[in-house]
Amino acid sequence: PWPAAAIVLPDALAHSIATAAAAHSPEPMISALLRRYHFDSLSYFVTRDICGVRTAELMWTTLPERWSDVYRRDAFASMDPRLARIHGQIGSMLWDACDYARDVRRRAFLAEAAHFGVCSGVAVALTEGAMNQVTVTFDRAESPMGAARREATLASVGELTVTAIALHESVLRWRVGGADRSAIAPALTLRERDCLELAARGMTSADIGTKLCVAERTVNFHFSNIKT
């Protein structure tokens, strides 16, 4: 993406992003930006390709911390249509949970996401380095979107994309990456610690999955998060 300094933003938007970048917590100003665009929440994901293995992590969100915990615990990154449809691209997409109502694989994600008001919105995919992709999602607790809402959202996609780039460059990237990452990285979840403890006893991923009553791929996802 272009550096934020190279992007010409409307005065109100530029002021809001500059204020968020300078604030100890950017959430109040980002929430104000969301209200400007009639969205309820924003999330910031980083997808990495490491030795041919793709992992994705919810790095920052305006939603309650409980959503981040559930997202990691249940390995929702592998089921999240916002990440799957736009992986490897630079651009934006409109999404609506009702479009995936018959997708059995995504049913658990959609049901839990609905509890937190993640039902539709816009996902903006950017790049960060050769192996990483950043996805910024603007989400609403509304599904299905009516025709008028869909049209209005499509009309704002360009401005949302510019906003996502500016947020990534000016506000969010340094908070979740770079040299200070170790100081602000989230602690391991309880389930991740369970996996480590059982692995230290010599158990395989399959053994751990049986012990914790989860799929082996879920255990492997936890180990990917731990290594990240």
Side-chain angles (χ1 to χ4, degrees):
W2 306 283
I7 301 172
V8 179
L9 299 170
D11 289 343
L13 184 56
H15 173 73
S16 296
I17 291 175
T19 302
H24 175 70
S25 172
E27 187 170 350
M29 189 55 67
I30 289 178
S31 295
L33 281 174
L34 292 174
R35 289 193 294 272
R36 168 191 174 102
Y37 295 117
H38 306 289
F39 288 98
D40 300 314
S41 63
L42 177 142
S43 295
Y44 179 94
F45 300 85
V46 174
T47 303
R48 296 182 173 90
D49 288 315
I50 303 174
C51 299
V53 177
R54 189 175 81 189
T55 64
E57 185 175 358
L58 173 56
M59 305 296 293
W60 192 89
T61 181
T62 58
L63 290 166
E65 187 176 347
R66 173 66 180 157
W67 172 237
S68 298
D69 292 340
V70 170
Y71 198 92
R72 286 195 187 94
R73 183 197 69 196
D74 294 339
F76 278 157
S78 64
M79 312 173 201
D80 191 337
R82 300 171 299 177
L83 303 185
R85 277 189 55 195
I86 209 164
H87 177 70
Q89 302 178 38
I90 301 175
S92 309
M93 77 159 197
L94 198 66
W95 80 281
D96 193 329
C98 70
D99 295 335
Y100 303 91
R102 297 186 180 182
D103 190 335
V104 176
R105 183 170 172 268
R106 305 190 195 281
R107 191 166 293 165
F109 165 79
L110 295 173
E112 196 67 51
H115 287 305
F116 290 89
V118 178
C119 300
S120 65
V122 173
V124 180
L126 313 171
T127 60
E128 173 151 304
M131 297 184 298
N132 297 346
Q133 176 168 305
V134 167
T135 303
V136 180
T137 65
F138 301 84
D139 298 301
R140 293 192 186 102
E142 174 188 357
S143 180
M145 282 188 281
R149 173 73 80 185
R150 182 177 290 267
E151 184 176 344
T153 302
L154 284 171
S156 68
V157 162
E159 194 166 346
L160 289 172
T161 300
V162 171
T163 301
I165 293 171
L167 284 171
H168 166 63
E169 289 285 343
S170 302
V171 183
L172 294 170
R173 184 170 61 173
W174 72 269
R175 294 180 183 275
V176 297
D180 296 329
R181 172 77 190 275
S182 61
I184 59 173
L188 296 181
T189 65
L190 289 175
R191 185 48 57 91
E192 288 165 357
R193 291 201 292 271
D194 288 340
C195 290
L196 273 181
E197 182 178 339
L198 295 173
R201 298 178 185 176
M203 296 178 69
T204 66
S205 293
D207 296 333
I208 294 171
T210 300
K211 178 75 173 177
L212 300 179
C213 300
V214 297
E216 181 179 355
R217 67 178 178 82
T218 301
V219 175
N220 289 331
F221 181 81
H222 289 316
F223 281 120
S224 292
N225 282 339
I226 290 166
K227 285 185 277 189
T228 299

